[in-house]
Amino acid sequence: MKLADLTKPWEALSYGFLDASAKREMRRKMLKSIAVPGCQMPYASREVPMARGWGTGGLQVSLTLVNPRTRVKVIDQGADDSVNAASIRRFIARVAGTPTTMDTLEAGLIQSRHRVPEEILRDDQVLVLQVPNPEPLRSVQPNMSIARQMHADADYGRMWLQLYEQIVRSGRVMQGASYPSLVHGRHVMTPSPIPRWDVPKQHMARHLTILSAGREKRIFAVPPFTRVEPLVFSDVPYKVEDHGDLTCTRSGTRGYFMNEIPQNDGTSAYEVSDSEWGVKTIRAAEDGGETRGETWYKDGKMS
Amino acid sequence: MTLALDAPRIVQTRPLLQVQSVSKSYSDVHALRDVSAIAYPGEVLGVVGESGSGKSTLLRMMNLEETPDTGSYTLDLPDVAGNLFELDRFARRMLCATRIGIVYQNPHLGLLMKHSSSGNVAERLLVAGERSFAVLREKATTALEASEFPLERLDAPPIELSGGMQQRVQLAKAIALEPALLLLDEPTTGLDVSVQALVLDTLKRLQQDRQITMVIVSHDLGVIRTLADRVMVMRRGAVVEAGLADQIFQDPQHAYTQQLVHAKL
């Protein structure tokens, strides 16, 4: 008799990989983070079959929220077809049996690394952002105990000072991604390393955004219709990347956030960062069918 | 002919700062023993004593960085009432950010050494809620100018500045919001004599121009004699003698004060 004869055939122990107590922990901390928008909640981050830093925080949230009817979309810096996005999408589908999609409008749950899709999300959609470093104060206060006190006191002078210093030294705010933003007028959060282009998309958005850092074991949220205001001086306006005039070389779409592709001759070509938006634009040009949704930006301007 | 003279006008002022019966112990070391101090508006109170006499502990308490075992602390300011030691952390922080300025002996305690000098001053304004870059820049420049800081080095980080210049940045940061009370902890220690004289001149001019109430702590009697209107002499955590500066320096009563004064002379 072999050992294999004595054991049951393999089957998943729990729906969606995580066990019930892990999901309970995630649900409790998600509810807390929704109750206090922008406030980081510590949680017991579990091991998942992926290295820390590759989206384990987002994956745990996604695995907790999915049900067999949830249509899941996973993007990595805007692309549905990157290795990381494809691996996470397949894993969720395998352990939870969920249908997957690349269409932003079809998705019920979107797990994303560092981008918010260009199409406006609805109130029945959830955006899960992977966060490498959830603490916006880390660059100005390395001692996390003091940083937490600073959050408690809403003591964000040093964050403003950081912006002041950037303007003094470089003539403009140099913060490219992770732009510190005040949520609901109370907590400053890092909106994960999304570009400045994407920060205004979170302001008074209809969808729920959950930001989760698996390695740092912190979760925070932006509930629907919540103010998300980037920290700006009253006389220095917030500026997004100047991509309004760029045209995607593959799809021809224009007025959206672009990835720069350096060329051999020293010039640059551009491709729209939201790959599905590019695909939809190409399809619309080929067959005339219009399946594209409304976008936050129109002609490079926030609408 | 009768000579009519107006009766002299007597104005009674209340002390701006009152510290009463403050005691503080660290395990079995008594840092302060039943210390009381008052400072009137526009006055400079000098606290002098040897190292370990408790003068810096007293100053940190006036800056609400420490809480005593017993005693009370009041400031006679609008919207500031009661014993300040009973304020919560947030209220203490806001009070210190807006009404009290401090210059530390060690500039590393008071400055962000890698940020610009103007940024160090701007930080204080930012904590108080200023959100206009142009106003921050203007107010930081004004405060640095008032503390006689060379404006061509406005954006140089303090780490690149001399000790005297670092103290001027600290001073500019402390006065940027025109505080009611300015605390100075050995502001000239470690500076050479010529720079000491310049910093003292700046302090004296600021005090005369703005009528800021100051508490200056030093073990250097020369500094205290230059600036102080009244003097408290401390030893082993207790006040051994207090009075007008002239009285203390010309007619010291306590043996320890006599020793200090004569040692200096």
Side-chain angles (χ1 to χ4, degrees), chain B residues 52-94:
Chain B
S53 59
K55 52 193 191 306
S56 290
T57 306
L58 179 64
L59 202 78
R60 283 202 300 277
M61 283 184 183
M62 288 177 182
N63 198 39
L64 296 171
E65 292 171 50
E66 295 212 32
T67 304
D69 302 329
T70 58
S72 67
Y73 174 26
T74 55
L75 284 178
D76 184 28
L77 293 172
D79 310 326
V80 179
N83 182 2
L84 302 184
F85 292 134
E86 291 171 1
L87 294 177
D88 61 28
R89 195 182 68 232
F90 181 74
R92 282 182 181 211
R93 188 172 69 81
M94 290 316 292

mmCIF file of all heavy atoms in Angstrom, chain B residues 52-94:
data_model
loop_
_atom_site.group_PDB
_atom_site.id
_atom_site.type_symbol
_atom_site.label_atom_id
_atom_site.label_comp_id
_atom_site.label_asym_id
_atom_site.label_seq_id
_atom_site.Cartn_x
_atom_site.Cartn_y
_atom_site.Cartn_z
ATOM 1 N N GLY B 52 23.953 70.651 34.700
ATOM 2 C CA GLY B 52 23.214 69.719 35.549
ATOM 3 C C GLY B 52 22.379 70.397 36.617
ATOM 4 O O GLY B 52 21.808 69.720 37.480
ATOM 5 N N SER B 53 22.260 71.719 36.535
ATOM 6 C CA SER B 53 21.489 72.416 37.573
ATOM 7 C C SER B 53 19.988 72.376 37.299
ATOM 8 O O SER B 53 19.193 72.780 38.142
ATOM 9 C CB SER B 53 21.967 73.862 37.696
ATOM 10 O OG SER B 53 21.815 74.521 36.460
ATOM 11 N N GLY B 54 19.589 71.924 36.116
ATOM 12 C CA GLY B 54 18.159 71.785 35.819
ATOM 13 C C GLY B 54 17.612 72.893 34.939
ATOM 14 O O GLY B 54 16.418 72.925 34.648
ATOM 15 N N LYS B 55 18.468 73.782 34.471
ATOM 16 C CA LYS B 55 17.965 74.928 33.696
ATOM 17 C C LYS B 55 17.409 74.507 32.331
ATOM 18 O O LYS B 55 16.369 75.004 31.911
ATOM 19 C CB LYS B 55 19.034 76.022 33.565
ATOM 20 C CG LYS B 55 20.389 75.567 33.060
ATOM 21 C CD LYS B 55 21.419 76.669 33.280
ATOM 22 C CE LYS B 55 22.717 76.369 32.545
ATOM 23 N NZ LYS B 55 23.336 75.055 32.832
ATOM 24 N N SER B 56 18.076 73.559 31.674
ATOM 25 C CA SER B 56 17.552 73.114 30.373
ATOM 26 C C SER B 56 16.269 72.304 30.538
ATOM 27 O O SER B 56 15.365 72.376 29.702
ATOM 28 C CB SER B 56 18.596 72.277 29.633
ATOM 29 O OG SER B 56 19.654 73.098 29.225
ATOM 30 N N THR B 57 16.173 71.537 31.625
ATOM 31 C CA THR B 57 14.926 70.797 31.905
ATOM 32 C C THR B 57 13.775 71.776 32.082
ATOM 33 O O THR B 57 12.669 71.572 31.562
ATOM 34 C CB THR B 57 15.093 69.942 33.179
ATOM 35 O OG1 THR B 57 16.232 69.116 33.025
ATOM 36 C CG2 THR B 57 13.875 69.076 33.439
ATOM 37 N N LEU B 58 14.056 72.862 32.803
ATOM 38 C CA LEU B 58 13.024 73.885 33.011
ATOM 39 C C LEU B 58 12.589 74.485 31.674
ATOM 40 O O LEU B 58 11.390 74.674 31.426
ATOM 41 C CB LEU B 58 13.587 74.977 33.940
ATOM 42 C CG LEU B 58 12.647 76.141 34.248
ATOM 43 C CD1 LEU B 58 11.428 75.666 35.025
ATOM 44 C CD2 LEU B 58 13.371 77.237 35.030
ATOM 45 N N LEU B 59 13.572 74.736 30.797
ATOM 46 C CA LEU B 59 13.247 75.325 29.499
ATOM 47 C C LEU B 59 12.420 74.361 28.650
ATOM 48 O O LEU B 59 11.468 74.770 27.984
ATOM 49 C CB LEU B 59 14.535 75.699 28.759
ATOM 50 C CG LEU B 59 14.351 76.763 27.691
ATOM 51 C CD1 LEU B 59 14.256 78.141 28.325
ATOM 52 C CD2 LEU B 59 15.483 76.742 26.688
ATOM 53 N N ARG B 60 12.781 73.067 28.700
ATOM 54 C CA ARG B 60 12.007 72.082 27.928
ATOM 55 C C ARG B 60 10.571 72.005 28.444
ATOM 56 O O ARG B 60 9.645 71.782 27.685
ATOM 57 C CB ARG B 60 12.670 70.706 28.007
ATOM 58 C CG ARG B 60 13.895 70.576 27.108
ATOM 59 C CD ARG B 60 14.193 69.117 26.785
ATOM 60 N NE ARG B 60 14.449 68.336 27.968
ATOM 61 C CZ ARG B 60 15.619 68.268 28.590
ATOM 62 N NH1 ARG B 60 16.641 68.930 28.125
ATOM 63 N NH2 ARG B 60 15.770 67.541 29.673
ATOM 64 N N MET B 61 10.407 72.217 29.755
ATOM 65 C CA MET B 61 9.037 72.224 30.300
ATOM 66 C C MET B 61 8.281 73.447 29.820
ATOM 67 O O MET B 61 7.089 73.377 29.517
ATOM 68 C CB MET B 61 9.083 72.195 31.809
ATOM 69 C CG MET B 61 9.397 70.813 32.292
ATOM 70 S SD MET B 61 9.354 70.683 34.037
ATOM 71 C CE MET B 61 9.855 68.995 34.212
ATOM 72 N N MET B 62 8.980 74.581 29.731
ATOM 73 C CA MET B 62 8.316 75.787 29.218
ATOM 74 C C MET B 62 7.921 75.600 27.760
ATOM 75 O O MET B 62 6.981 76.214 27.274
ATOM 76 C CB MET B 62 9.248 76.991 29.351
ATOM 77 C CG MET B 62 9.436 77.461 30.776
ATOM 78 S SD MET B 62 10.613 78.812 30.807
ATOM 79 C CE MET B 62 10.702 79.146 32.574
ATOM 80 N N ASN B 63 8.654 74.747 27.042
ATOM 81 C CA ASN B 63 8.308 74.431 25.651
ATOM 82 C C ASN B 63 7.376 73.225 25.580
ATOM 83 O O ASN B 63 7.136 72.695 24.489
ATOM 84 C CB ASN B 63 9.579 74.166 24.839
ATOM 85 C CG ASN B 63 9.343 74.261 23.347
ATOM 86 O OD1 ASN B 63 8.591 75.130 22.892
ATOM 87 N ND2 ASN B 63 9.942 73.369 22.582
ATOM 88 N N LEU B 64 6.881 72.786 26.708
ATOM 89 C CA LEU B 64 5.911 71.680 26.807
ATOM 90 C C LEU B 64 6.439 70.369 26.218
ATOM 91 O O LEU B 64 5.671 69.529 25.768
ATOM 92 C CB LEU B 64 4.587 72.063 26.153
ATOM 93 C CG LEU B 64 3.867 73.232 26.835
ATOM 94 C CD1 LEU B 64 2.678 73.689 26.013
ATOM 95 C CD2 LEU B 64 3.406 72.862 28.242
ATOM 96 N N GLU B 65 7.757 70.214 26.216
ATOM 97 C CA GLU B 65 8.334 68.946 25.761
ATOM 98 C C GLU B 65 8.343 67.927 26.882
ATOM 99 O O GLU B 65 8.493 66.739 26.643
ATOM 100 C CB GLU B 65 9.770 69.152 25.270
ATOM 101 C CG GLU B 65 9.870 69.967 24.006
ATOM 102 C CD GLU B 65 11.305 70.332 23.682
ATOM 103 O OE1 GLU B 65 12.165 69.450 23.680
ATOM 104 O OE2 GLU B 65 11.564 71.522 23.445
ATOM 105 N N GLU B 66 8.259 68.400 28.106
ATOM 106 C CA GLU B 66 8.256 67.505 29.265
ATOM 107 C C GLU B 66 7.155 67.932 30.218
ATOM 108 O O GLU B 66 6.752 69.093 30.243
ATOM 109 C CB GLU B 66 9.596 67.574 29.995
ATOM 110 C CG GLU B 66 10.731 67.070 29.158
ATOM 111 C CD GLU B 66 11.808 66.413 29.991
ATOM 112 O OE1 GLU B 66 11.481 65.806 31.033
ATOM 113 O OE2 GLU B 66 12.966 66.520 29.593
ATOM 114 N N THR B 67 6.703 66.957 31.014
ATOM 115 C CA THR B 67 5.669 67.242 32.009
ATOM 116 C C THR B 67 6.274 66.986 33.386
ATOM 117 O O THR B 67 6.917 65.962 33.600
ATOM 118 C CB THR B 67 4.459 66.321 31.793
ATOM 119 O OG1 THR B 67 4.013 66.496 30.449
ATOM 120 C CG2 THR B 67 3.323 66.658 32.746
ATOM 121 N N PRO B 68 6.089 67.919 34.306
ATOM 122 C CA PRO B 68 6.685 67.720 35.637
ATOM 123 C C PRO B 68 5.861 66.745 36.479
ATOM 124 O O PRO B 68 4.727 66.405 36.128
ATOM 125 C CB PRO B 68 6.634 69.118 36.235
ATOM 126 C CG PRO B 68 5.443 69.742 35.607
ATOM 127 C CD PRO B 68 5.338 69.173 34.231
ATOM 128 N N ASP B 69 6.446 66.316 37.590
ATOM 129 C CA ASP B 69 5.695 65.472 38.526
ATOM 130 C C ASP B 69 4.627 66.312 39.226
ATOM 131 O O ASP B 69 3.508 65.866 39.437
ATOM 132 C CB ASP B 69 6.650 64.862 39.556
ATOM 133 C CG ASP B 69 7.744 64.046 38.876
ATOM 134 O OD1 ASP B 69 7.454 63.492 37.800
ATOM 135 O OD2 ASP B 69 8.865 63.998 39.397
ATOM 136 N N THR B 70 5.002 67.519 39.613
ATOM 137 C CA THR B 70 4.038 68.452 40.225
ATOM 138 C C THR B 70 4.311 69.842 39.676
ATOM 139 O O THR B 70 5.383 70.104 39.150
ATOM 140 C CB THR B 70 4.194 68.500 41.759
ATOM 141 O OG1 THR B 70 5.539 68.902 42.060
ATOM 142 C CG2 THR B 70 3.907 67.162 42.406
ATOM 143 N N GLY B 71 3.319 70.709 39.842
ATOM 144 C CA GLY B 71 3.512 72.098 39.441
ATOM 145 C C GLY B 71 2.600 72.517 38.321
ATOM 146 O O GLY B 71 1.907 71.687 37.726
ATOM 147 N N SER B 72 2.581 73.814 38.051
ATOM 148 C CA SER B 72 1.692 74.335 37.006
ATOM 149 C C SER B 72 2.438 75.366 36.157
ATOM 150 O O SER B 72 3.484 75.874 36.546
ATOM 151 C CB SER B 72 0.459 74.976 37.635
ATOM 152 O OG SER B 72 0.833 76.135 38.357
ATOM 153 N N TYR B 73 1.845 75.635 34.977
ATOM 154 C CA TYR B 73 2.468 76.535 34.003
ATOM 155 C C TYR B 73 1.346 77.258 33.282
ATOM 156 O O TYR B 73 0.458 76.622 32.711
ATOM 157 C CB TYR B 73 3.307 75.682 33.044
ATOM 158 C CG TYR B 73 3.933 76.386 31.861
ATOM 159 C CD1 TYR B 73 4.233 77.750 31.867
ATOM 160 C CD2 TYR B 73 4.275 75.673 30.720
ATOM 161 C CE1 TYR B 73 4.832 78.369 30.788
ATOM 162 C CE2 TYR B 73 4.874 76.274 29.622
ATOM 163 C CZ TYR B 73 5.145 77.623 29.663
ATOM 164 O OH TYR B 73 5.737 78.233 28.582
ATOM 165 N N THR B 74 1.361 78.570 33.337
ATOM 166 C CA THR B 74 0.327 79.335 32.630
ATOM 167 C C THR B 74 0.980 80.400 31.763
ATOM 168 O O THR B 74 2.050 80.911 32.074
ATOM 169 C CB THR B 74 -0.647 80.028 33.618
ATOM 170 O OG1 THR B 74 0.127 80.834 34.519
ATOM 171 C CG2 THR B 74 -1.471 79.030 34.390
ATOM 172 N N LEU B 75 0.315 80.714 30.664
ATOM 173 C CA LEU B 75 0.718 81.827 29.796
ATOM 174 C C LEU B 75 -0.472 82.764 29.684
ATOM 175 O O LEU B 75 -1.586 82.311 29.392
ATOM 176 C CB LEU B 75 1.099 81.327 28.397
ATOM 177 C CG LEU B 75 2.456 80.647 28.221
ATOM 178 C CD1 LEU B 75 2.629 80.186 26.775
ATOM 179 C CD2 LEU B 75 3.597 81.558 28.626
ATOM 180 N N ASP B 76 -0.236 84.043 29.937
ATOM 181 C CA ASP B 76 -1.328 85.010 29.887
ATOM 182 C C ASP B 76 -1.516 85.486 28.446
ATOM 183 O O ASP B 76 -1.029 86.539 28.044
ATOM 184 C CB ASP B 76 -0.984 86.194 30.814
ATOM 185 C CG ASP B 76 -2.133 87.188 30.888
ATOM 186 O OD1 ASP B 76 -3.288 86.763 30.708
ATOM 187 O OD2 ASP B 76 -1.871 88.382 31.104
ATOM 188 N N LEU B 77 -2.186 84.652 27.673
ATOM 189 C CA LEU B 77 -2.428 84.950 26.257
ATOM 190 C C LEU B 77 -3.901 84.734 25.951
ATOM 191 O O LEU B 77 -4.559 83.923 26.616
ATOM 192 C CB LEU B 77 -1.608 83.998 25.372
ATOM 193 C CG LEU B 77 -0.088 84.126 25.410
ATOM 194 C CD1 LEU B 77 0.547 82.987 24.643
ATOM 195 C CD2 LEU B 77 0.335 85.454 24.811
ATOM 196 N N PRO B 78 -4.421 85.454 24.943
ATOM 197 C CA PRO B 78 -5.812 85.204 24.550
ATOM 198 C C PRO B 78 -5.978 83.744 24.112
ATOM 199 O O PRO B 78 -5.086 83.193 23.463
ATOM 200 C CB PRO B 78 -6.039 86.151 23.367
ATOM 201 C CG PRO B 78 -4.890 87.084 23.351
ATOM 202 C CD PRO B 78 -3.781 86.483 24.121
ATOM 203 N N ASP B 79 -7.050 83.145 24.435
ATOM 204 C CA ASP B 79 -7.378 81.755 24.053
ATOM 205 C C ASP B 79 -6.475 80.712 24.702
ATOM 206 O O ASP B 79 -6.505 79.556 24.303
ATOM 207 C CB ASP B 79 -7.312 81.552 22.515
ATOM 208 C CG ASP B 79 -8.093 82.592 21.772
ATOM 209 O OD1 ASP B 79 -9.127 83.018 22.330
ATOM 210 O OD2 ASP B 79 -7.690 82.997 20.683
ATOM 211 N N VAL B 80 -5.645 81.109 25.638
ATOM 212 C CA VAL B 80 -4.799 80.119 26.326
ATOM 213 C C VAL B 80 -5.134 80.206 27.812
ATOM 214 O O VAL B 80 -4.883 81.215 28.445
ATOM 215 C CB VAL B 80 -3.296 80.405 26.114
ATOM 216 C CG1 VAL B 80 -2.452 79.374 26.853
ATOM 217 C CG2 VAL B 80 -2.961 80.413 24.634
ATOM 218 N N ALA B 81 -5.729 79.150 28.323
ATOM 219 C CA ALA B 81 -6.171 79.207 29.717
ATOM 220 C C ALA B 81 -5.766 77.936 30.450
ATOM 221 O O ALA B 81 -5.567 76.879 29.841
ATOM 222 C CB ALA B 81 -7.693 79.364 29.765
ATOM 223 N N GLY B 82 -5.650 78.073 31.763
ATOM 224 C CA GLY B 82 -5.413 76.904 32.607
ATOM 225 C C GLY B 82 -3.965 76.462 32.614
ATOM 226 O O GLY B 82 -3.079 77.096 32.023
ATOM 227 N N ASN B 83 -3.769 75.343 33.326
ATOM 228 C CA ASN B 83 -2.439 74.776 33.465
ATOM 229 C C ASN B 83 -2.031 74.098 32.155
ATOM 230 O O ASN B 83 -2.651 73.122 31.735
ATOM 231 C CB ASN B 83 -2.459 73.760 34.620
ATOM 232 C CG ASN B 83 -1.105 73.150 34.866
ATOM 233 O OD1 ASN B 83 -0.117 73.495 34.207
ATOM 234 N ND2 ASN B 83 -1.045 72.244 35.817
ATOM 235 N N LEU B 84 -0.992 74.605 31.529
ATOM 236 C CA LEU B 84 -0.612 74.093 30.205
ATOM 237 C C LEU B 84 -0.095 72.660 30.266
ATOM 238 O O LEU B 84 -0.115 71.948 29.265
ATOM 239 C CB LEU B 84 0.441 74.996 29.568
ATOM 240 C CG LEU B 84 0.055 76.460 29.389
ATOM 241 C CD1 LEU B 84 1.150 77.220 28.660
ATOM 242 C CD2 LEU B 84 -1.255 76.605 28.626
ATOM 243 N N PHE B 85 0.364 72.236 31.426
ATOM 244 C CA PHE B 85 0.838 70.855 31.550
ATOM 245 C C PHE B 85 -0.318 69.859 31.407
ATOM 246 O O PHE B 85 -0.092 68.675 31.211
ATOM 247 C CB PHE B 85 1.534 70.631 32.893
ATOM 248 C CG PHE B 85 2.846 71.376 33.018
ATOM 249 C CD1 PHE B 85 3.155 72.095 34.166
ATOM 250 C CD2 PHE B 85 3.771 71.341 31.993
ATOM 251 C CE1 PHE B 85 4.353 72.777 34.279
ATOM 252 C CE2 PHE B 85 4.982 72.023 32.099
ATOM 253 C CZ PHE B 85 5.267 72.744 33.239
ATOM 254 N N GLU B 86 -1.544 70.354 31.542
ATOM 255 C CA GLU B 86 -2.709 69.461 31.430
ATOM 256 C C GLU B 86 -3.247 69.373 30.001
ATOM 257 O O GLU B 86 -4.207 68.645 29.749
ATOM 258 C CB GLU B 86 -3.816 69.934 32.381
ATOM 259 C CG GLU B 86 -3.433 69.720 33.842
ATOM 260 C CD GLU B 86 -4.397 70.379 34.812
ATOM 261 O OE1 GLU B 86 -5.384 70.984 34.346
ATOM 262 O OE2 GLU B 86 -4.146 70.305 36.021
ATOM 263 N N LEU B 87 -2.642 70.116 29.074
ATOM 264 C CA LEU B 87 -3.112 70.059 27.682
ATOM 265 C C LEU B 87 -2.764 68.706 27.067
ATOM 266 O O LEU B 87 -1.759 68.088 27.432
ATOM 267 C CB LEU B 87 -2.443 71.154 26.850
ATOM 268 C CG LEU B 87 -2.783 72.610 27.183
ATOM 269 C CD1 LEU B 87 -1.960 73.539 26.302
ATOM 270 C CD2 LEU B 87 -4.259 72.874 26.989
ATOM 271 N N ASP B 88 -3.587 68.277 26.100
ATOM 272 C CA ASP B 88 -3.248 67.027 25.410
ATOM 273 C C ASP B 88 -2.153 67.296 24.371
ATOM 274 O O ASP B 88 -1.770 68.445 24.139
ATOM 275 C CB ASP B 88 -4.480 66.392 24.769
ATOM 276 C CG ASP B 88 -5.128 67.285 23.729
ATOM 277 O OD1 ASP B 88 -4.410 68.096 23.134
ATOM 278 O OD2 ASP B 88 -6.347 67.180 23.522
ATOM 279 N N ARG B 89 -1.657 66.222 23.750
ATOM 280 C CA ARG B 89 -0.500 66.347 22.873
ATOM 281 C C ARG B 89 -0.777 67.277 21.690
ATOM 282 O O ARG B 89 0.069 68.091 21.301
ATOM 283 C CB ARG B 89 -0.126 64.951 22.362
ATOM 284 C CG ARG B 89 1.259 64.892 21.745
ATOM 285 C CD ARG B 89 1.581 63.521 21.206
ATOM 286 N NE ARG B 89 0.770 63.191 20.062
ATOM 287 C CZ ARG B 89 0.057 62.092 19.938
ATOM 288 N NH1 ARG B 89 0.059 61.205 20.901
ATOM 289 N NH2 ARG B 89 -0.666 61.847 18.864
ATOM 290 N N PHE B 90 -1.979 67.173 21.130
ATOM 291 C CA PHE B 90 -2.321 67.987 19.961
ATOM 292 C C PHE B 90 -2.343 69.475 20.329
ATOM 293 O O PHE B 90 -1.789 70.320 19.624
ATOM 294 C CB PHE B 90 -3.683 67.548 19.412
ATOM 295 C CG PHE B 90 -4.096 68.318 18.200
ATOM 296 C CD1 PHE B 90 -3.490 68.079 16.976
ATOM 297 C CD2 PHE B 90 -5.077 69.294 18.283
ATOM 298 C CE1 PHE B 90 -3.859 68.801 15.847
ATOM 299 C CE2 PHE B 90 -5.450 70.018 17.160
ATOM 300 C CZ PHE B 90 -4.844 69.766 15.953
ATOM 301 N N ALA B 91 -2.987 69.787 21.470
ATOM 302 C CA ALA B 91 -3.078 71.193 21.898
ATOM 303 C C ALA B 91 -1.690 71.744 22.212
ATOM 304 O O ALA B 91 -1.371 72.892 21.895
ATOM 305 C CB ALA B 91 -3.995 71.304 23.112
ATOM 306 N N ARG B 92 -0.853 70.917 22.827
ATOM 307 C CA ARG B 92 0.526 71.341 23.116
ATOM 308 C C ARG B 92 1.269 71.666 21.825
ATOM 309 O O ARG B 92 1.974 72.662 21.728
ATOM 310 C CB ARG B 92 1.287 70.210 23.823
ATOM 311 C CG ARG B 92 0.967 70.062 25.270
ATOM 312 C CD ARG B 92 1.821 68.955 25.866
ATOM 313 N NE ARG B 92 1.485 68.788 27.266
ATOM 314 C CZ ARG B 92 2.341 68.398 28.195
ATOM 315 N NH1 ARG B 92 3.572 68.121 27.863
ATOM 316 N NH2 ARG B 92 1.965 68.275 29.436
ATOM 317 N N ARG B 93 1.104 70.773 20.846
ATOM 318 C CA ARG B 93 1.828 70.961 19.590
ATOM 319 C C ARG B 93 1.397 72.255 18.907
ATOM 320 O O ARG B 93 2.219 73.034 18.421
ATOM 321 C CB ARG B 93 1.566 69.767 18.663
ATOM 322 C CG ARG B 93 2.416 69.769 17.409
ATOM 323 C CD ARG B 93 2.256 68.481 16.635
ATOM 324 N NE ARG B 93 0.944 68.346 16.036
ATOM 325 C CZ ARG B 93 0.566 68.926 14.897
ATOM 326 N NH1 ARG B 93 1.405 69.668 14.230
ATOM 327 N NH2 ARG B 93 -0.649 68.748 14.418
ATOM 328 N N MET B 94 0.084 72.508 18.898
ATOM 329 C CA MET B 94 -0.405 73.712 18.232
ATOM 330 C C MET B 94 0.040 74.970 18.975
ATOM 331 O O MET B 94 0.384 75.982 18.354
ATOM 332 C CB MET B 94 -1.935 73.670 18.105
ATOM 333 C CG MET B 94 -2.438 72.643 17.117
ATOM 334 S SD MET B 94 -1.516 72.582 15.557
ATOM 335 C CE MET B 94 -1.951 74.154 14.814
#
